[in-house]
Amino acid sequence: MNALIEFVQFLKVNKKLWLGPLIFVAALVGLLLLLAPGSEVAPFTYAIF
Amino acid sequence: MTKKINMKLFAAAASLASLSVALLAAELVVRIAAPAYDPSTLLRFHYDPVLRITLGPPDTVIRNPSNVADGSVPVAFNHLGFRDSREVGDMGPDDWFALGDSLSFGWGVPVEDGVVARVERLIGSKIYNMSIPGAATEWPRRIRYAIDSGARPRRFLIFHSMGLLAKREPVVPAKTSPFTLSEVKRRLKTHSILYRLIASVVKDHPLWEVKAAAWGLVQAKPHTDRRAAFESCLRTVKSLASTVPETVVVMLPSPELWRGSGEVDELYRDYLLSLKTAGIETVDLRPDFEAGGDPIEYFFTFKNDDGHWNVAGHALAAEVVARYLLNRKAVTGAGL
């Protein structure tokens, strides 16, 4: 959680808040592809975690 | 002051542009990574408000990404909106008229692998398949629609799923402005792959679904009074059986029976008993599905609560039904 707050602050300080939606949507899509029923990506997450 | 406002406006515009680009990129990425969710290839049925029956898109062949993770199947609809390619007007006096929902429609499997086509091959008699997802109370209107198109049904083969005991006819929505929330949702549902992916993930996790429904993001699953639906289904089947005495009802067990729902187990037994008490010929598939040890292996597992058969499920069901019909002919001398 702290890392997330720090990251938002980093964007704020560097005036890059407009990147927020891009990062949020990219993270959301990644998560959805992992959680989707019948996901073809899910089996590969074992190797990562 | 003006400069500050301009800066804020610029930041808002940049964020909006960034969000738009991100959503467009996400649509593209999901289309490549998870094509099964593409709404343009989604097999969609419509409830005809005039005929008051559910039909497929007439004269259309569509690839059904289906509920199988290992590919999609082509689904062809005839000019009436049914999956059977033959002309119902050619129906002979000895041919069967099959009724049912998505299971006997052959959801997720090629038409030749579906239970109806398999039974037809095994018994060597024609079975016109008028199965399509929809409530059992639509059946008399579906039959009327087929009769108006030239069908002369004299024998009914009813594939009765447990899902029908929880199914109600849809309410036809009144025409609304294109800017209402429901209209926006409808458009997203039919055009956005990202929306479909989000909806599928939420619906696949019961707890999230409840939360999302509480926040008004998704429609809560309507609570169906299964007992009331039980009575209306039974009335429909009894009425059909009284009109066409040669009616055989095949009871299709739901995976809920083995996933620990005592209520469904009781309903299943009661329904079967009610049909038998009413003197209606029944075929119970449950014992054969349980004989192999794990009945769930006959169902798709793409979604957690999928109640549709895989190819093995269709094959087993067809074998049991064909055996019954062949024995029936041997014992009673009835035609096939």
Side-chain angles (χ1 to χ4, degrees), chain A residues 1 3 5-7 13-15 18 20 22 29 32 35-37 40-44 47-49:
Chain A
M1 196 64 193
I5 294 166
E6 267 183 50
F7 184 67
V13 169
N14 289 281
K15 293 191 168 49
W18 60 271
L22 269 172
V29 168
L32 286 171
L35 297 174
E40 288 163 33
V41 186
F44 301 108
I48 299 168
F49 299 108

Side-chain angles (χ1 to χ4, degrees), chain A residues 15-26 28-41, chain B residues 7 11 14-15 18-19 21-23 26 29-30 33-34 37 69 194 197-198 200-201 204-205 208 302-303:
Chain A
K15 293 191 168 49
K16 295 279 188 270
L17 268 179
W18 60 271
L19 276 174
L22 269 172
I23 295 163
F24 172 74
V25 172
L28 178 74
V29 168
L31 191 70
L32 286 171
L33 289 176
L34 281 179
L35 297 174
S39 167
E40 288 163 33
V41 186
Chain B
M7 283 294 285
S15 297
S18 154
L19 182 65
V21 170
L23 289 174
V29 167
V30 178
Y37 293 93
L194 187 61
L197 179 64
I198 294 171
S200 302
V201 170
D204 203 47
H205 295 80
W208 295 5
F302 184 55
K303 287 180 186 166

